[in-house]
Amino acid sequence: MATTPSPHAAPAPGRPRRTLRRLPGHLLRSVLALAFAFPIVFMLISSFKPDQQIFADLGSIRAFLPVGDLSLNNYTAVFDRVPAARFLINSIVISAVTVVLGIVVNSLAAFALSRMRWPGRKALLMLIIATLIVPFETFALPLVWWVNKLPWLELHGFQLALTEGWLDTYRVQILPFVANAFSIFLFHQYFQSIPKELDEAARIDGASWFGIYRRIIMPLSGPAVATVAILTFLPMWNSYLWPLMVVQDENLRPVMVGIQYFFQLNVSWGQIMAYSSLITVPMLALFLAFQRSFINSIASSGVKG
């Protein structure tokens, strides 16, 4: 005769053992998280302190605690010293437009490479991936020469005029970085994990390739879109070398170029920490908002290759 287990029965002996085996991993991850969090905590706390207190607290745990003479003076001084609001708006516009255009262009390219059958697509994909080994610094100067020669249509009054050169514009900070090899590869790998039977059924129903892309593939690719958005936004937000080379107009400069303003005269570390906090918080917020989709996309991008 079968007996029902008592509700007060002891837990299975295997569960405590599994917990003990996982404990070193949890401790290691906690230590690493604290190690990576310390610089950010120090930056945020120091942004509210005057320079004298920042240096006085460096040798103790007070450097990571909100104690002492705290105020918003550093933040107000940042906006008085540099056009920080303008820099932030420029970076938001440049990063957001690049993300949107990049998602559209790179996903379309990946769709053609992964879902459509045509000769040479595998060779082209290998060539695109091969460009990842070329560092940006090697072709930065030739790229400056090319963008200075490219034409552009501008509206003067009621007439269109053809001009030459993209320097000191928003487009020179956006268009060269829309197409991205890693984004194409990530979309390609994720699209490969979607059953191709969906394409065949849609084609039988009379759907076009663009209709399949828009109505089937992209709605199923939310994690990949979120990952590409993060991986496109971060380098655009952190861009320093390229804007320094192609933008001289202060009204068009992004936030990272503004860092150099604080090292010219009367260096104030409190203001540097405040400015660094202002330009770091948007990146942290973006990653925290999309971290689940980011992890899911990275985990599933290698399902099929």
Side-chain angles (χ1 to χ4, degrees), residues 294-305:
F294 179 81
I295 295 171
N296 290 341
S297 176
I298 294 298
S300 59
S301 61
V303 171
K304 292 185 180 180

Side-chain angles (χ1 to χ4, degrees), residues 47-86:
S47 67
F48 297 100
K49 297 179 180 180
D51 289 359
Q52 297 82 357
Q53 186 169 348
I54 292 175
F55 289 106
D57 294 343
L58 282 180
S60 65
I61 193 63
R62 291 171 58 91
F64 302 96
L65 300 176
V67 294
D69 185 14
L70 304 179
S71 68
L72 295 174
N73 292 338
N74 290 326
Y75 287 92
T76 57
V78 162
F79 287 92
D80 292 335
R81 186 166 183 173
V82 301
R86 186 65 190 177

Side-chain angles (χ1 to χ4, degrees), residues 113-129:
L113 291 168
S114 64
R115 313 298 290 191
M116 302 172 66
R117 297 183 180 275
W118 45 278
R121 60 190 178 95
K122 291 185 178 180
L124 180 58
L125 178 62
M126 293 176 60
L127 182 61
I128 291 173
I129 296 174

Side-chain angles (χ1 to χ4, degrees), residues 175-252:
L175 296 183
F177 306 100
V178 169
N180 182 273
F182 185 75
S183 297
I184 294 174
F185 174 71
L186 187 63
F187 272 127
H188 176 274
Q189 293 299 95
Y190 196 90
F191 291 169
Q192 287 286 86
S193 68
I194 300 175
K196 293 190 176 180
E197 289 79 5
L198 298 175
D199 299 4
E200 297 171 0
R203 294 289 290 175
I204 292 174
D205 291 338
S208 63
W209 281 114
F210 183 75
I212 295 172
Y213 161 82
R214 182 172 61 89
R215 298 179 180 178
I216 298 176
I217 300 301
M218 290 307 290
L220 295 175
S221 304
V225 171
T227 302
V228 169
I230 292 174
L231 296 180
T232 304
F233 182 88
L234 291 180
M236 294 307 300
W237 187 267
N238 293 327
S239 181
Y240 176 79
L241 176 62
W242 181 250
L244 200 64
M245 297 171 66
V246 298
V247 177
Q248 299 298 322
D249 189 351
E250 190 177 71
N251 293 323
L252 299 173

Side-chain angles (χ1 to χ4, degrees), residues 24-290:
H26 291 316
L27 291 176
L28 178 61
R29 285 190 288 269
S30 299
V31 171
L32 290 175
L34 288 174
F36 284 109
F38 272 149
I40 298 176
V41 173
F42 174 75
M43 176 187 67
L44 292 173
I45 296 300
S46 299
S47 67
F48 297 100
K49 297 179 180 180
D51 289 359
Q52 297 82 357
Q53 186 169 348
I54 292 175
F55 289 106
D57 294 343
L58 282 180
S60 65
I61 193 63
R62 291 171 58 91
F64 302 96
L65 300 176
V67 294
D69 185 14
L70 304 179
S71 68
L72 295 174
N73 292 338
N74 290 326
Y75 287 92
T76 57
V78 162
F79 287 92
D80 292 335
R81 186 166 183 173
V82 301
R86 186 65 190 177
F87 291 163
L88 286 168
I89 292 173
N90 289 340
S91 284
I92 291 172
V93 171
I94 293 168
S95 302
V97 174
T98 306
V99 166
V100 173
L101 293 179
I103 289 173
V104 174
V105 171
N106 296 315
S107 63
L108 284 171
F111 178 81
L113 291 168
S114 64
R115 313 298 290 191
M116 302 172 66
R117 297 183 180 275
W118 45 278
R121 60 190 178 95
K122 291 185 178 180
L124 180 58
L125 178 62
M126 293 176 60
L127 182 61
I128 291 173
I129 296 174
T131 61
L132 292 173
I133 67 175
V134 182
F136 173 74
E137 289 77 9
T138 59
F139 58 85
L141 287 176
L143 187 59
V144 172
W145 186 86
W146 276 109
V147 296
N148 193 37
K149 298 295 182 180
L150 289 175
W152 189 260
L153 284 175
E154 291 187 355
L155 185 63
H156 295 283
F158 295 97
Q159 293 183 343
L160 285 174
L162 186 65
T163 60
E164 184 181 84
W166 289 12
L167 300 183
D168 277 335
T169 59
Y170 282 120
R171 60 183 177 270
V172 76
Q173 303 178 71
I174 296 173
L175 296 183
F177 306 100
V178 169
N180 182 273
F182 185 75
S183 297
I184 294 174
F185 174 71
L186 187 63
F187 272 127
H188 176 274
Q189 293 299 95
Y190 196 90
F191 291 169
Q192 287 286 86
S193 68
I194 300 175
K196 293 190 176 180
E197 289 79 5
L198 298 175
D199 299 4
E200 297 171 0
R203 294 289 290 175
I204 292 174
D205 291 338
S208 63
W209 281 114
F210 183 75
I212 295 172
Y213 161 82
R214 182 172 61 89
R215 298 179 180 178
I216 298 176
I217 300 301
M218 290 307 290
L220 295 175
S221 304
V225 171
T227 302
V228 169
I230 292 174
L231 296 180
T232 304
F233 182 88
L234 291 180
M236 294 307 300
W237 187 267
N238 293 327
S239 181
Y240 176 79
L241 176 62
W242 181 250
L244 200 64
M245 297 171 66
V246 298
V247 177
Q248 299 298 322
D249 189 351
E250 190 177 71
N251 293 323
L252 299 173
R253 285 181 166 177
V255 290
M256 286 302 167
V257 178
I259 287 286
Q260 66 177 342
Y261 286 66
F262 295 92
F263 293 96
Q264 293 174 355
L265 294 173
N266 301 325
V267 177
S268 174
W269 289 101
Q271 295 178 19
I272 293 173
M273 296 298 176
Y275 187 79
S276 300
S277 299
L278 287 173
I279 65 180
T280 302
V281 168
M283 292 188 294
L284 291 177
L286 180 71
F287 179 77
L288 292 176
F290 294 102

